[in-house]
Amino acid sequence: MTHPISYPADPSQNPQGRPPRARRRVWPWMVVGVPVLLFGACSIAVVSSVGGEKEATVISGPTGEEVVADRGPEFPGKLDHDTAAVAGATISRDDLAYTVGPLQAVDSLLGSYLCSEVTIVNVGTAENDFNGYTDWHVQDAGGAIRDSTFGTDRPMLQSGRLAPGGTATGNVCFDARSGAAPGTYIVLYEDTFSLSTDRLAWVSAL
């Protein structure tokens, strides 16, 4: 009876006769670790952004005169940290100076609107973002707050970035097809991408 010939094991494949080591699974750690790292990076970015925000200040009145730095006039629904001014005044925050004109009734083929002309100036030393749509609202004479909209034939305020010293001008408009009762109207600016709930407000009368 013949026996199969056995050969010695290759020492390079299993040095010192040790059993092969099981490989560690890397993917479970990656599945858990990557989201944690991303969440941490986003949290740091948000905290840094909020920490760098500068307090809002009314820097000039409707005719360019200097004003006392305070939270401005009262209006129905004003919150503790709102900064208000009369329409036409300039409010500065986070190195952007916002000038919002009085609300005006505008009729177009699509209906009736209320519009304000807005000018934004970068008064800082670095580029800065601005938004011409989602950040703007109006509080009507009845206290209802409406979002901005498109539809008029007026040049609208766009969104983008401003270089230091740069200026953007355009209109923010609000639907008034159901009418605009006489009274006090407030154009509100609230940064959508900020954790702060502080608002800028310009008071108009219709």
Side-chain angles (χ1 to χ4, degrees):
M1 181 176 62
T2 60
H3 298 280
I5 300 175
S6 61
Y7 296 94
D10 187 350
S12 63
Q13 296 181 355
N14 191 11
Q16 300 179 0
R18 296 176 181 173
R21 299 173 61 183
R23 293 184 178 179
R24 294 182 178 180
R25 293 184 178 181
V26 178
W27 64 265
W29 297 101
M30 294 180 64
V31 170
V32 175
V34 170
V36 170
L37 290 174
L38 290 175
F39 177 78
C42 292
S43 299
I44 293 173
V46 168
V47 170
S48 299
S49 174
V50 173
E53 290 184 351
K54 297 181 180 179
E55 187 175 355
T57 305
V58 182
I59 59 176
S60 67
T63 58
E65 74 275 11
E66 293 185 1
V67 295
V68 178
D70 58 15
R71 293 292 181 180
E74 297 296 321
F75 61 85
K78 185 179 181 182
L79 304 179
D80 290 341
H81 297 289
D82 287 350
T83 299
V86 296
T90 301
I91 304 177
S92 176
R93 187 175 73 181
D94 297 335
D95 291 332
L96 290 177
Y98 302 86
T99 304
V100 177
L103 278 170
Q104 297 180 342
V106 177
D107 292 322
S108 72
L109 294 176
L110 298 178
S112 298
Y113 299 85
L114 296 175
C115 297
S116 284
E117 185 178 69
V118 176
T119 298
I120 305 174
V121 180
N122 185 348
V123 295
T125 58
E127 284 189 351
N128 213 331
D129 297 315
F130 69 97
N131 194 316
Y133 182 64
T134 58
D135 292 344
W136 297 91
H137 314 275
V138 70
Q139 178 178 305
D140 65 21
I145 298 178
R146 314 177 196 173
D147 296 332
S148 59
T149 187
F150 295 102
T152 73
D153 53 2
R154 293 198 170 191
M156 305 300 292
L157 181 65
Q158 303 299 313
S159 300
R161 299 179 65 84
L162 280 176
T167 300
T169 299
N171 285 266
V172 291
C173 294
F174 311 94
D175 191 350
R177 284 175 287 184
S178 59
T184 300
Y185 286 72
I186 318 298
V187 176
L188 297 168
Y189 171 84
E190 186 174 4
D191 191 345
T192 305
F193 299 102
S194 173
L195 294 181
S196 173
T197 58
D198 299 356
R199 303 179 301 178
L200 308 184
W202 287 265
V203 181
S204 283
L206 289 181

